[in-house]
Amino acid sequence: MPETAAAATTSSSLETPLAHAAAVAVPDANDLAGRFLLAPNPEAASEAERVQALTDLHFGSVFTDHMAHARWTRGVGWTDHEITAYGDLTLSPAAAVLHYGQEIFEGIKAYRHADGSIWTFRPRYNAARLNISARRMALPELPEEDFIASLVDLVRADGHWVPSGEGESLYLRPFVFASAAFLGVRAADVVDYYVIASPSGAYFTGGLKPISIWVSQNFHRAGRGGTGFAKTGGNYASSLLPQQEAAAKGCDQVCFLDDVTERNLEELGGMNIMVVDHDGTVRTPHLTGTILEGSTRSAIIRLLIDSGRHVVEDTISLEGLLSDIESGRVREVFACGTAAVVVPLGRLKGEGFDVTIEGSAVTSEIHDRLTGIQYGTYEDPHNWMYRLA
Ligand SMILES: *Cc1c(COP(=O)(O)O)cnc(C)c1O
């Protein structure tokens, strides 16, 4: 890949089709509510059980009483929209997803504000991205307003599960998979959509503690023409072995390089990366098709530009980054994504190098701005927050 001149992101990265789609106003939640019919869980947790489950929260291990569901059948479309008891699924052992991995997902949070109201962040971004992923994986698209309605109806059924502690939220996991019982290799004729909800504490415990990164030089998470831009389970499956390698090298997370030059930084297994230069410029890798376009990345770019910073989408070579860290030209590197929000990278390690990065001033400034908007303690100049309940 040729070294491309750094393009100012003022227009380019903010005007992506996804950022554009996300900016379309969403109808009031009261007008979307009721599209998914509630069948209350007769075995919902007691208040004592729920209070117990909400103490000492981690990530992704506790689930609420209900889940949203709809089914798609070829020639018919989406039917059976419901909020039903959270519980195990009945699936044919021949279900296509179990064999060929035809699956996509999303991740978005519900936040409780001080007045008790419940909000989410840019839901149309995730709705539109689900459909970008759907097209790549030959799955049916879900109308964006049905996606948002499923979050409204699920959160209204399980609102008492949204925690209120610092950094806590209700993590919502929408997903779509091929449930048709058929071993032929083709796009499935029956597909299910679910949303499950998990009250969660901070993703990385211990606040803005820097994490260490293993830069994988043997494995890539995505290749040209592949599925890197889609949020699909297979991308995560292929990142697990490199993640184990990172752990064996004493690192918290793995960072991938592009598969063509094997020189340029792309992203972590589930987070985008940003580099802060000594002059305050922030650089992030171009969306090359092998990188997932994060909602957090998009919002951070906007907030940085709002605060007068220069932001560029760039080709960031590992070699260049290492020498810029050594020379002091790069002051901070951080990762960003919905689950963890913003995390400083304190150490980059790989075959033949091991460098530390001290700075985190811009990282923590952006963390505070973004979480302030999400938790309703800062002004929301772009109307990113959407009231669910
Ligand atoms: C989900 C994801 C991200 C972060 O996206 P957000 O919308 O910010 O949560 C980044 N990279 C990958 C590979 C992802 O799957």
Side-chain angles (χ1 to χ4, degrees):
M1 203 185 294
E3 293 283 322
T4 46
T9 48
T10 319
S11 53
S12 66
S13 78
L14 291 172
E15 307 292 316
T16 65
L18 187 45
H20 212 257
V24 175
V26 181
D28 190 276
N30 287 328
D31 296 326
L32 294 181
R35 291 191 186 193
F36 288 72
L37 209 64
L38 175 62
N41 182 352
E43 286 165 37
S46 69
E47 189 177 343
E49 286 166 340
R50 180 169 45 81
V51 168
Q52 176 58 34
L54 290 177
T55 55
D56 191 27
L57 286 172
H58 299 282
F59 181 81
S61 50
V62 170
F63 298 94
T64 64
D65 294 321
H66 297 91
M67 58 189 180
H69 172 239
R71 172 160 293 174
W72 179 88
T73 312
R74 191 176 301 280
V76 176
W78 291 102
T79 59
D80 303 305
H81 304 69
E82 58 180 347
I83 303 291
T84 184
Y86 176 89
D88 293 349
L89 307 180
T90 302
L91 207 58
S92 164
V97 64
L98 301 177
H99 305 275
Y100 310 125
Q102 195 191 3
E103 186 267 357
I104 56 176
F105 66 96
E106 270 303 322
I108 184 168
K109 286 172 167 175
Y111 310 87
R112 188 180 294 285
H113 287 187
D115 66 357
S117 57
I118 303 169
W119 301 70
T120 193
F121 184 76
R122 288 176 102 188
R124 209 185 269 285
Y125 192 103
N126 299 76
R129 189 171 65 187
L130 182 80
N131 287 337
I132 291 173
S133 300
R135 288 194 284 278
R136 179 62 184 88
M137 302 307 288
L139 284 163
E141 294 180 38
L142 180 71
E144 289 179 9
E145 288 171 13
D146 284 350
F147 175 93
I148 299 168
S150 70
L151 308 184
V152 170
D153 286 329
L154 180 57
V155 165
R156 288 184 177 200
D158 286 341
H160 50 306
W161 284 92
V162 182
S164 55
E166 192 180 342
E168 295 180 346
S169 62
L170 184 66
Y171 183 81
L172 300 163
R173 167 54 59 85
F175 57 107
V176 179
F177 63 91
S179 47
F182 177 58
L183 293 183
V185 181
R186 66 156 193 234
D189 290 339
V190 184
V191 162
D192 282 282
Y193 168 69
Y194 285 92
V195 187
I196 56 174
S198 177
S200 298
Y203 191 81
F204 292 109
T205 45
L208 272 194
K209 204 174 71 200
I211 61 167
S212 56
I213 296 295
W214 175 255
V215 181
S216 176
Q217 284 155 301
N218 306 318
F219 299 110
H220 302 286
R221 70 171 280 284
R224 279 201 190 176
T227 59
F229 66 89
K231 223 168 166 67
T232 183
N235 292 341
Y236 280 72
S238 73
S239 76
L240 298 177
L241 178 62
Q243 176 63 40
Q244 286 178 341
E245 184 182 70
K249 302 290 185 180
C251 294
D252 299 312
Q253 293 278 315
V254 61
C255 179
F256 294 98
L257 303 176
D258 77 287
D259 71 305
V260 178
T261 70
E262 305 198 287
R263 293 174 48 211
N264 301 322
L265 274 79
E266 296 223 301
E267 59 172 324
L268 309 190
M271 282 186 279
N272 297 119
I273 50 172
M274 301 211 177
V275 170
V276 185
D277 291 342
H278 65 105
D279 66 356
T281 297
V282 178
R283 294 180 291 134
T284 190
H286 287 290
L287 298 172
T288 53
T290 47
I291 293 176
L292 195 290
E293 187 179 348
S295 160
T296 318
R297 174 190 186 276
S298 162
I300 288 174
I301 290 172
R302 180 76 260 180
L303 292 176
L304 289 167
I305 290 173
D306 286 354
S307 66
R309 279 182 197 279
H310 188 220
V311 182
V312 292
E313 282 187 312
D314 203 356
T315 300
I316 303 176
S317 74
L318 175 63
E319 202 186 341
L321 180 65
L322 293 175
S323 70
D324 286 346
I325 291 169
E326 307 263 353
S327 73
R329 182 171 174 261
V330 162
R331 292 282 163 80
E332 302 175 39
V333 182
F334 65 90
C336 60
T338 297
V341 194
V342 170
V343 192
L345 308 189
R347 184 176 180 190
L348 293 183
K349 197 175 165 187
E351 295 302 344
F353 63 90
D354 187 352
V355 301
T356 56
I357 309 150
E358 303 289 337
S360 65
V362 175
T363 305
S364 64
E365 177 189 312
I366 206 71
H367 172 273
D368 293 351
R369 279 283 298 286
L370 185 56
T371 55
I373 291 170
Q374 291 169 335
Y375 287 91
T377 57
Y378 279 17
E379 193 204 339
D380 173 23
H382 302 289
N383 288 316
W384 284 334
M385 300 310 292
Y386 177 76
R387 185 164 179 178
L388 294 168

